[in-house]
Amino acid sequence: MKDHSAHAGHGAHAGAQPGGLSVSAHGYTLQLDAPILTAGVRTVTFRVTGPDGRPVTEFTPEHEKKLHFIAVRRDTAGFQHVHPVMDEKGTWSVDLALEPGDWRFFADVHPVGHDGTMTLGIDVAVAGAYDPKPLPEATGTARIGEYTVTLDGELLPGEASALTLTVSRNDRPVTDLQPYLAAYGHLVALRVGDLGYLHVHPEGEPGDGTTGPGPEIAFMAVAPSAGTYRLYLDFQHEDVVRTAEFTVRTTASTSRPDTPSPAAPEHGGHHHGSHAHH
């Protein structure tokens, strides 16, 4: 697994600034065809343009994909991690399930010729009656159907900290997680308030001789500041990718209540189908 620690969007030790706060960085820009959309399952098309103003068509794959695309509403609801398809001219397309409100889209890419991964972000308006959701309470437990994921460890500002997520199903440890994006879990953290983007990956990888397929998935992460963060863990079991969500509050001395979160819906990729094609 490659080390992305020099790049704020990806690195577990990149605590200076989160990624995704800018639509343009290092001469590269995220361009949407339509920044105003209607609610429902919609096909979103976009490009990443380079310093010459032209769409980039060559990307270095990171974790099995040339581009990782994250969509989340500004109230942190509706999280989707999908993988668009690019045509020969550099236009990407992907289906998203969108409810009314203000959204943030992130493109996580490594253009060929650039020295690392970057995360670009752009605001999108989805028309309709907006019913913002309150931020879920801080919790160390997430439930997704028959699955329970527990979070151990503290997210600390400015320093690397270990986070361990443990997956069980009907109170039994899951020991046969399937690789997903070259790992047994994929964790995205967003800072509440500006949706600053931290993209971290587990310690170890499938097939390295030491990393087991569950029930524990270990990560190293750095919070760029004290505050509240939303954590989204994608994991794959029995050919379905599920997302466990957590709210974490961090200060110099972090404390977190350990209470169950409301049940989250399962998703098997029926409306953002790239989950089904790994």
Side-chain angles (χ1 to χ4, degrees):
M1 183 171 294
K2 295 182 179 180
D3 178 12
H4 306 286
S5 59
H7 310 291
H10 249 82
H13 300 286
Q17 287 294 331
L21 295 178
S22 175
V23 71
S24 185
H26 309 292
Y28 296 88
T29 301
L30 175 58
Q31 294 185 347
L32 286 180
D33 283 329
I36 301 175
L37 300 168
T38 55
V41 178
R42 297 288 176 258
T43 300
V44 174
T45 55
F46 64 94
R47 283 161 298 284
V48 176
T49 59
D52 60 2
R54 299 176 182 175
V56 178
T57 58
E58 295 185 358
F59 297 87
T60 300
E62 301 287 0
H63 298 277
E64 299 182 340
K65 298 294 177 179
K66 292 183 178 180
L67 185 145
H68 295 263
F69 196 84
I70 304 294
V72 67
R73 207 165 64 174
R74 278 282 181 183
D75 62 355
T76 77
F79 176 89
Q80 293 161 73
H81 174 184
V82 294
H83 300 100
V85 175
M86 185 185 69
D87 68 16
E88 67 278 0
K89 295 182 180 179
T91 295
W92 296 85
S93 60
V94 68
D95 290 343
L96 295 172
L98 301 172
E99 295 183 351
D102 296 321
W103 287 72
R104 188 74 171 172
F105 292 172
F106 301 93
D108 204 32
V109 291
H110 183 175
V112 169
H114 185 63
D115 62 358
T117 302
M118 68 184 74
T119 306
L120 305 174
I122 192 168
D123 283 335
V124 178
V126 178
Y130 180 24
D131 181 23
K133 305 299 182 187
L135 188 69
E137 291 298 318
T139 176
T141 305
R143 294 195 173 96
I144 319 99
E146 298 178 342
Y147 294 81
T148 300
V149 182
T150 57
L151 170 65
D152 293 306
E154 307 291 357
L155 189 62
L156 301 175
E159 60 181 281
S161 56
L163 302 175
T164 302
L165 293 112
T166 304
V167 182
S168 63
R169 182 183 188 184
N170 295 324
D171 298 323
R172 296 183 178 181
V174 174
T175 58
D176 58 345
L177 292 173
Q178 295 166 307
Y180 175 61
L181 305 178
Y184 287 121
H186 196 279
L187 185 67
V188 169
L190 299 175
R191 184 170 59 187
V192 175
D194 62 3
L195 297 186
Y197 179 96
L198 307 174
H199 197 160
V200 294
H201 293 277
E203 299 287 279
E205 60 185 8
D208 64 7
T210 59
T211 304
E216 295 184 347
I217 314 169
F219 296 85
M220 292 297 292
V222 176
S225 67
T228 302
Y229 293 81
R230 290 281 283 158
L231 273 56
Y232 304 87
L233 173 73
D234 288 333
F235 65 95
Q236 182 167 286
H237 188 239
E238 295 185 350
D239 300 322
V240 176
V241 175
R242 297 171 175 84
T243 303
E245 303 183 6
F246 301 87
T247 301
V248 174
R249 305 188 193 282
T250 178
T251 61
S253 57
T254 305
S255 61
R256 185 192 68 237
D258 190 13
T259 55
S261 65
E266 292 193 17
H267 64 273
H270 58 286
H271 59 235
H272 38 101
S274 68
H275 278 165
H277 302 292
H278 301 295

